[in-house]
Amino acid sequence: MTDEIFMREALRIARNAQGRTSPNPLVGAVIVRDGKIIAEGWHRQAGSPHAEIHALNMAGDLAKNSTLYVTLEPCSHFGRTPPCANAIVDAGIKKVFAAMSDPNPKVAGRGFEILKSAGVEVEVGLLEAEARALNEIFIKWVTKNLPFVTLKFACSLDGKISTAGGESQWISCLESRKFSHRLRDLNDAILVGVGTVLADDPSLTTRLVDGKNPVRIVVDSSAKTPLDSKVVTEKFSQTIIATTTNAPPEKISALKNLGVEIIFAGDKKSVDLKILMRELARREITSVLVEGGGTVHFSMLKEKLVDKIFAFVAPKIIGGKNSLTAVEGAGFEKLSDAVNLKNFSAEKIGEDFLLSGRVTED
């Protein structure tokens, strides 16, 4: 179907800005005249022109009486940029195909109303499933006021993330590690527990050419993060310590003096992860990659905060009852409480297998 071909092109070019548009969605737009693409554009980053504006600028006068294919309902309100719906009307576009409506219930449908009231023909729902998958992060953030959370780990065939002696580098192969750094590049933030900081002293950066370093978040209820740790001393990106009011005030002051941001998430012995996630969302952190140890992983799963899981499984068997596993904590007592993945898939990554699936549905 020709219309699908043009919408797939809009979806394809929208992906050019993956990991760069937060807190905005990924959007692609294609303008077609006499059955041929005459212009296209995608949203680059928050505060820059939207996809429709890039496409309209490229089309110029040829936009009049043409057809626009766009992956998301054109905006109807003034935000960081003017509304696109009015620009589409002014350009003389005669028909708009939109893959989906705006997921924000406060504005959903208003862009279409502007278009229709001006005589523009509108069709909604072409390749909607693909469009929703493209913007799973934005949809979660704008509808739930929570970041989209991806839990990622690498383990041996028997589920171990380290040996009994604590050795973990490297269980996964080089190709898997490159994929992992791509995940860091695509997410706004990366989260670990203080145990990971104490054991490995990681930088939590993205080792890719032109890669984006995520905000670093350490779940640390007692503020044990060393002042000379890399997440404190290396200034590649912002570091946030999520802690409690039980943390020593003098340590909190020392961390702040070194440029670390502090979020108090609860007054109990452990960090309230739900409070933390809501605060991150308020700060327009729309996606979080969790690379913590087994305790943090279980806590996130138990609180139903995880949306997607990536598990890199290496063809190694480590064994040992004292070897750490990917998910620890208290564990679920009943199989009926176990986390079941949806849309489960497996693919070969170098020597490893990447197992992935959704925990939640948008």
Side-chain angles (χ1 to χ4, degrees):
M1 180 179 176
T2 304
D3 292 329
E4 284 193 4
I5 292 174
F6 295 137
M7 186 62 81
R8 289 193 187 281
E9 173 63 8
L11 290 165
R12 184 190 71 80
I13 61 176
R15 296 186 183 94
N16 288 336
Q18 278 187 309
R20 301 297 182 270
T21 63
S22 180
N24 289 355
L26 292 163
V27 184
V30 169
I31 297 177
V32 175
R33 185 184 180 97
D34 298 326
K36 296 181 179 179
I37 295 175
I38 61 170
E40 58 185 31
W42 64 91
H43 184 43
R44 266 74 167 176
Q45 62 183 19
S48 69
H50 289 185
E52 301 95 318
I53 304 304
H54 282 296
L56 290 171
N57 288 341
M58 180 182 290
D61 293 338
L62 292 176
K64 189 173 183 179
N65 294 321
S66 295
T67 300
L68 171 69
Y69 296 80
V70 63
T71 58
L72 182 68
E73 175 182 356
C75 64
S76 59
H77 59 285
F78 282 89
R80 290 180 170 93
T81 58
C84 293
N86 300 87
I88 293 168
V89 171
D90 293 341
I93 293 287
K94 68 176 182 179
K95 186 171 184 178
V96 172
F97 284 90
M100 61 178 287
S101 61
D102 193 321
N104 186 343
K106 296 180 180 179
V107 297
R110 293 184 183 178
F112 295 142
E113 290 176 5
I114 292 173
L115 297 175
K116 291 177 181 178
S117 64
V120 179
E121 187 179 352
V122 176
E123 288 195 23
V124 185
L126 180 62
L127 300 183
E128 181 175 0
E130 289 89 338
R132 294 185 71 84
L134 174 72
N135 272 312
E136 58 187 2
I137 290 173
F138 177 73
I139 292 171
K140 170 75 177 293
W141 177 70
V142 80
T143 60
K144 306 292 186 183
N145 294 316
L146 289 169
F148 187 93
V149 176
T150 300
L151 192 158
K152 172 249 142 183
F153 58 84
C155 65
S156 62
L157 191 60
D158 54 338
K160 306 297 184 181
I161 60 173
S162 74
T163 66
E167 185 179 352
S168 61
Q169 296 181 343
W170 299 102
I171 289 177
S172 59
C173 67
L174 177 61
E175 292 82 356
S176 292
R177 298 199 295 275
K178 287 181 178 179
F179 191 107
S180 296
H181 284 287
R182 176 62 174 155
L183 289 177
R184 291 184 180 184
D185 175 67
L186 293 176
N187 282 269
D188 291 345
I190 179 171
L191 181 149
V192 299
V194 67
T196 298
V197 174
L198 294 173
D200 301 331
D201 192 21
S203 295
L204 302 180
T205 54
T206 302
R207 297 173 186 85
L208 298 175
V209 176
D210 297 325
K212 170 180 65 65
N213 291 319
V215 173
R216 299 169 295 192
I217 303 167
V218 181
V219 178
D220 183 3
S221 60
S222 301
K224 295 179 180 178
T225 300
L227 299 180
D228 61 352
S229 61
K230 291 178 181 177
V231 293
V232 174
T233 61
E234 295 181 350
K235 305 301 181 181
F236 297 113
S237 64
Q238 177 65 46
T239 293
I240 296 173
I241 301 290
T243 190
T244 68
T245 53
N246 290 324
E250 62 276 11
K251 184 63 177 294
I252 294 297
S253 296
L255 287 166
K256 286 182 176 180
N257 289 337
L258 291 172
V260 174
E261 198 166 346
I262 304 295
I263 292 178
F264 290 101
D267 55 5
K268 299 180 180 179
K269 292 184 178 180
S270 59
V271 170
D272 188 318
L273 294 172
K274 289 183 177 178
I275 292 176
L276 173 60
M277 291 300 124
R278 286 195 292 269
E279 176 59 20
L280 294 177
R282 189 189 69 78
R283 297 177 181 221
E284 296 189 340
I285 291 177
T286 66
S287 58
V288 176
L289 178 66
V290 178
E291 287 191 14
T295 300
V296 168
H297 291 173
F298 177 72
S299 297
M300 292 292 294
L301 289 166
K302 182 182 178 182
E303 296 295 334
K304 302 185 185 303
L305 294 169
V306 177
D307 297 284
K308 179 180 284 188
I309 291 178
F310 285 106
F312 296 89
V313 180
K316 299 179 175 74
I317 295 178
I318 294 175
K321 64 180 182 180
N322 293 323
S323 300
L324 299 178
T325 58
V327 182
E328 296 185 334
F332 296 110
E333 293 185 4
K334 301 177 182 178
L335 279 176
S336 58
D337 295 330
V339 175
N340 293 302
L341 300 189
K342 307 170 183 67
N343 301 322
F344 188 71
S345 65
E347 61 178 299
K348 198 80 161 58
I349 303 287
E351 298 176 350
D352 303 336
F353 269 99
L354 171 58
L355 309 180
S356 61
R358 284 291 299 261
V359 179
T360 61
E361 295 178 321
D362 64 54

